[in-house]
Amino acid sequence: MSTFIFRMTLVLLAAFQMSYVKAAEVYPSKPIKLIVPYPAGGGTDSLARPLAQQLTNRLGQTVVVDNRGGAGGSIGMEYVARAPADGYTLLLALTPQLAVNGALYEKIPYDPIKSFTPISLIAEAPYLLLVNPSLPVNSLKEFLALAKTEGGKLTYATSGSGSGGHMAAELLISMTGIPMTHVPYKGGGPALSDVMAGHVKVLFAPAVSSMQHIQAGRLRAIAITGNKRLSSLPSVPTFAEAGVPGYDSTVWYAV
């Protein structure tokens, strides 16, 4: 949490130094939009809410979260790319929108480098491999064995094609040879809901959006990416500990 607050402070300081705000203008003099390129309820939205509140408190001007999900985040990205460069439209973007989509799609409605002015890295997070509790697995070994037995019938949800969760799942599929079927959604919130409801069985998601559901028993965490366990989930092993060394995937958030 201390690192998160530190990053938010960097955002605040950078906001005051935005070169495109006229020198004579007192900034901010009106509410600011923080665009989230996903629907409410997902990991990005969960991070955006406290960030907007902190900025509101420190800037003395309201910072409003504006969710514009769809098209793998491109709808929200295009909105910001077309907005006036006056410091009143901020964007909370992720790895997929800034580092993946340009290589994944032949054409996207924004330039990841030229369309935006970067301010700060906000956070970096590992992914949890999550399953609906009805799935009869409690370890990564059992999960991989079941996936092979199901022969592609096992479904996994993501916040959209090209999303971080999609890349994490496909990397695991590539490294282990397990067959699974991709079910893309417009955002992490709808994907989480359908996995908890049992309509889809598997999901890769950051802890910020899934922790409360894990603790409530609505989701079961099987393994975590990165090189260490979470202190809040000490019984959940890393993928390397669970038998897939060399596998890793994380997501970073930037404004």
Side-chain angles (χ1 to χ4, degrees):
M1 182 60 72
S2 60
T3 301
F4 177 56
I5 294 175
F6 173 69
R7 292 295 186 186
M8 286 194 291
T9 302
L10 289 181
V11 173
L12 171 66
L13 295 175
F16 276 119
Q17 298 170 359
M18 289 178 180
S19 60
Y20 43 72
V21 177
K22 296 179 181 179
E25 180 183 350
V26 177
Y27 178 84
S29 59
K30 61 181 180 180
I32 300 168
K33 286 185 180 180
L34 176 60
I35 305 301
V36 174
Y38 290 111
T44 312
D45 186 67
S46 299
L47 194 62
R49 302 287 165 175
L51 175 59
Q53 186 58 56
Q54 286 287 335
L55 288 175
T56 295
N57 296 342
R58 299 189 183 203
L59 290 172
Q61 191 62 254
T62 302
V63 178
V64 181
V65 174
D66 187 347
N67 297 89
R68 293 179 179 267
S74 289
I75 291 177
M77 299 294 286
E78 182 180 12
Y79 177 84
V80 177
R82 294 178 179 275
D86 57 6
Y88 290 96
T89 304
L90 302 180
L91 168 72
L92 182 56
L94 286 73
T95 316
Q97 289 84 51
L98 294 176
V100 176
N101 286 358
L104 193 64
Y105 298 106
E106 184 176 345
K107 185 178 181 180
I108 54 177
Y110 63 92
D111 187 309
I113 297 175
K114 297 179 181 179
S115 296
F116 313 103
T117 300
I119 300 174
S120 177
L121 176 69
I122 299 299
E124 184 176 4
Y127 279 107
L128 287 161
L129 169 57
L130 304 167
V131 300
N132 182 278
S134 66
L135 208 65
V137 298
N138 291 287
S139 68
L140 183 60
K141 182 178 179 180
E142 292 176 351
F143 174 81
L144 297 176
L146 178 66
K148 290 179 180 179
T149 301
E150 290 288 306
K153 294 180 181 179
L154 193 61
T155 54
Y156 72 92
T158 72
S159 57
S161 296
S163 63
H166 184 199
M167 297 294 100
E170 288 300 322
L171 179 60
L172 183 63
I173 290 170
S174 175
M175 291 181 64
T176 62
I178 61 170
M180 287 198 296
T181 299
H182 180 208
V183 182
Y185 288 79
K186 290 185 177 181
L192 267 173
S193 295
D194 264 17
V195 173
M196 288 188 289
H199 303 310
V200 185
K201 299 298 184 181
V202 183
L203 174 75
F204 279 84
V208 65
S209 62
S210 59
M211 184 65 71
Q212 61 177 324
H213 304 302
I214 296 169
Q215 294 172 340
R218 293 186 288 267
L219 292 169
R220 180 181 300 140
I222 301 298
I224 188 170
T225 62
N227 56 14
K228 62 181 180 180
R229 301 187 183 198
L230 283 180
S231 58
S232 52
L233 292 172
S235 63
V236 179
T238 66
F239 276 86
E241 292 174 324
V244 187
Y247 172 83
D248 195 17
S249 183
T250 60
V251 59
W252 46 258
Y253 304 81
V255 170

